[in-house]
Amino acid sequence: MTLEKLRACWGLTPTVDRNVALVEGFLKGKRFADLAQEHDLSTSRVRQIIERADRLVGGGILTEAEPSKASPRTEFMVDYPYVWNLAQMHRLGSVTPHHFFTELERAGSLERLVDKMKRLPSRARTTRELVRLVWLKERGQSPWPAMKRSSIAIAQPTCTVDHPDRALQCQLALEPALQQLAERAAESGWSEDEIANALLELAGALFDRDGTS
């Protein structure tokens, strides 16, 4: 359970696997020096990671004492493991989940936290946005706003099906709408490579679905 709590706390940290492995090794009786050599770190760095892990779970790693019951914050982290991914996906920052869990602990439940944020609209904008996303997730609703239909009309074909320029004409008809879609995706934070690859994958999936491959 201790390792699960730590993995939830370090969810967005690039070194989460290494840090958890360090704690696991320490709990199995390995010394700081042995862990440092095993993971190519300094002994002091290993000690810092273990001490931080001990603080995150409320004690029980560095000593034989039972974990502290003072704060259930890490319990909430285990219950909502996807919060870190939501924050990363929506570019809310890695610190925001910590604020979310602190506020959730104070409120006592997600429902109370949602009500609290509604009554305090000026408080912690990024935290409030994460609360909204988690609330939608819990209710099975999509966190993404509904996309408006494109206002660009698609030109109708003016040549016969067997005309040699038919394919080119179709490309020219779709290009404005496709360009608008790509621009909107870029405004939402997607890179040009990501947009291009996504469109290729979607086009391929549509082609396969129609059974014309």
Side-chain angles (χ1 to χ4, degrees):
M1 190 62 177
T2 297
L3 296 179
E4 292 179 4
K5 289 181 180 180
L6 287 173
R7 190 170 291 279
C9 293
W10 280 323
L12 285 181
T13 307
T15 56
V16 55
D17 291 331
R18 184 205 65 189
N19 292 350
V20 171
L22 284 171
V23 175
E24 184 177 17
F26 182 79
L27 290 174
K28 290 180 178 179
K30 293 185 179 180
R31 299 177 304 169
F32 289 144
D34 296 331
L35 292 169
Q37 185 175 11
E38 182 179 335
H39 293 273
D40 195 24
L41 296 170
S42 66
T43 303
S44 60
R45 179 57 180 153
V46 171
R47 180 183 294 276
Q48 289 174 357
I49 294 172
I50 301 297
E51 289 176 347
R52 184 184 176 206
D54 189 62
R55 290 194 298 270
L56 285 174
V57 299
I61 294 178
L62 289 173
T63 67
E64 295 297 326
E66 290 294 323
S68 171
K69 302 296 183 181
S71 172
R73 181 167 65 93
T74 51
E75 296 292 345
F76 282 122
M77 290 180 176
V78 174
D79 291 338
Y80 299 91
Y82 58 83
V83 170
W84 304 90
N85 291 332
L86 280 175
Q88 185 178 43
M89 183 185 304
H90 294 268
R91 301 190 175 191
L92 297 177
S94 60
V95 178
T96 303
H98 289 285
H99 293 165
F100 167 84
F101 289 118
T102 299
E103 294 290 342
L104 185 58
E105 176 187 354
R106 291 172 182 170
S109 71
L110 183 58
E111 290 77 7
R112 291 180 181 177
L113 180 57
V114 170
D115 182 64
K116 175 183 176 182
M117 288 299 178
K118 287 180 179 178
R119 290 185 286 106
L120 299 172
S122 62
R123 184 172 182 175
R125 290 184 179 180
T126 54
T127 302
R128 190 173 73 250
E129 176 63 10
L130 185 57
V131 170
R132 183 186 72 83
L133 294 172
V134 173
W135 179 245
L136 291 175
K137 172 82 172 177
E138 287 290 298
R139 299 182 65 176
Q141 301 176 14
S142 172
W144 302 102
M147 293 185 69
K148 298 179 180 178
R149 289 184 62 87
S150 174
S151 59
I152 298 179
I154 306 298
Q156 296 180 350
T158 59
C159 56
T160 60
V161 175
D162 58 350
H163 193 282
D165 293 334
R166 174 94 173 189
L168 177 59
Q169 190 179 80
C170 183
Q171 292 179 33
L172 293 175
L174 295 178
E175 184 177 11
L178 184 62
Q179 182 63 34
Q180 184 187 73
L181 177 63
E183 289 174 356
R184 288 169 57 187
E187 290 172 358
S188 297
W190 300 103
S191 69
E192 292 183 354
D193 288 342
E194 289 171 332
I195 296 169
N197 289 332
L199 291 174
L200 286 173
E201 291 291 335
L202 291 172
L206 178 64
F207 189 71
D208 291 340
R209 185 186 67 189
D210 291 340
T212 55
S213 58

